[in-house]
Amino acid sequence: MQIRQTNHEFNFGSYPTFGNNIDPKQRAWIEVKGKALETNVRQLRSKLSKNCQFMAVVKADGYGHDAKVVSEFAIKGGASQLGVATLKEGLKLRSSGVKTPILILGNLYTKKDLIISFKNDLMPTISSIRECLICNNIGKHFGLKFSLHLKVDTGMSRLGFEYNKFAQQFEKIKSFENIFIKGLYSHLSSADELNPLDPKSITQLQRQKFQELLKQIIFDKNHNIKIHLANSAGMLLNKDFHFDMVRVGLSMYGYSPLTKSDKNLSLQPALFLKVKVAFIRIIDEGVSVSYGGTFVSSRKTKLAVLSIGYADGVPRSLSGKIKAIHNNKLYPQVGSITMDQMMVDITGSNEIKIGSTMILLGSDGDKTISPLDWARESKTIPWEILCSFKNRLPRVQVD
Ligand SMILES: *Cc1c(COP(=O)(O)O)cnc(C)c1O
């Protein structure tokens, strides 16, 4: 490394070289419990029939947990396939040595992307004859079969072949000699709704449509097509949604998407969000805190300044609505959450010092704060909370 010498008369000759290895736990960080992921996958798998496969959905960097770590422990727990959203996410896993089958859930529409997908043994999701043809041509060019999954739209209106035309189009697709259909799937739009098992629910309607379609399709005798429909919510509803494989994200990370949760399920959150106290101050009664002065102290108040903010992925809309845990006690966050810092009222505590660690998500003793709580308070869903965490937060695997 080049050290720039200053001409200052008090210069030290060169900067000391010890300062460059910053401790990842020096400011704010995410701890990922690999064992919790593994246990969750094992537990969820125990709800499936023996032949039903488990696809671990690790898109968006493993819902913010680190896709590599999640993949490793999910596979240990029995996941036999991985799902990612983008080509790049798939490539990243391949280059870190993951050999498990990977399905790309997003749409690749250029020949270039499909070639890269093919060369790296990543299966694309195919929603049209046009894409099927491109894949068939790529397979032909390399003298091989291009493995892929076909998707049919049953009510999400996102990706997928048009429902009414699919059975007929499938006949044409079967004639393509250089593709290998590894899967046929659809996606539920509302399985976490209030009464998903009501016979008239969107979820039941989608399942019926999907089953109707399977009856119309003429499969080849020795086909090896995995049929799949369920996300976490669908998987937890009942076995009618399982088919040959389930694609599970949220519940593998430790959170049930269902409003009425299965009492026999004890999922463990795999993510802990921790932060250091960077500064402590005492303010008098009637003093405002943070931007806009939205919080004014009603008594002499001891404040801890935590070094984390919305630039790390803590939504600003949670200002004044969240808590931090220290030694099995909860402390309220006060004032606006700023870009890089936030304040917590620690009045009455003598144990919290500069450099103490506080927990924003996770548990300590009998106190727990979950992304489900944050989602409720900021009027969003836990999925969005989890994948909002930025790269500025180091991920630290603990086990
Ligand atoms: C994200 C995703 C899943 C996983 O959803 P969860 O609700 O997190 O289990 C499954 N299938 C598809 C197509 C997805 O995009």
Side-chain angles (χ1 to χ4, degrees), residues 33-61:
K33 293 179 143 192
K35 274 271 175 282
L37 289 159
E38 183 183 336
T39 312
N40 290 341
V41 172
R42 196 163 284 133
Q43 191 189 158
L44 291 163
R45 270 191 70 226
S46 73
K47 312 248 166 213
L48 307 175
S49 310
K50 206 167 121 267
N51 294 324
C52 182
Q53 291 196 20
F54 189 100
M55 172 183 283
V57 178
V58 300
K59 63 193 180 192
D61 202 18

Side-chain angles (χ1 to χ4, degrees), residues 317-356:
S317 59
L318 286 175
S319 296
K321 294 179 174 171
I322 55 174
K323 294 187 166 69
I325 313 176
H326 183 270
N327 266 352
N328 200 19
K329 285 196 203 84
L330 291 164
Y331 298 93
Q333 188 274 322
V334 293
S336 292
I337 293 170
T338 72
M339 188 184 284
D340 319 297
Q341 297 164 86
M342 61 171 74
M343 277 63 93
V344 169
D345 182 348
I346 56 163
T347 309
S349 159
N350 290 318
E351 29 177 47
I352 301 174
K353 307 262 182 326
I354 290 180
S356 292

Side-chain angles (χ1 to χ4, degrees), residues 273-318:
L273 178 59
K274 298 191 177 181
V275 59
K276 290 285 191 186
V277 174
F279 197 72
I280 289 177
R281 73 179 325 118
I282 291 169
I283 55 168
D284 285 331
E285 181 188 331
V287 175
S288 83
V289 175
S290 195
Y291 291 122
T294 50
F295 176 86
V296 178
S297 58
S298 58
R299 51 160 160 70
K300 195 173 175 185
T301 299
K302 192 175 187 182
L303 293 176
V305 180
L306 304 186
S307 43
I308 189 168
Y310 60 79
D312 297 286
V314 181
R316 187 171 169 280
S317 59
L318 286 175

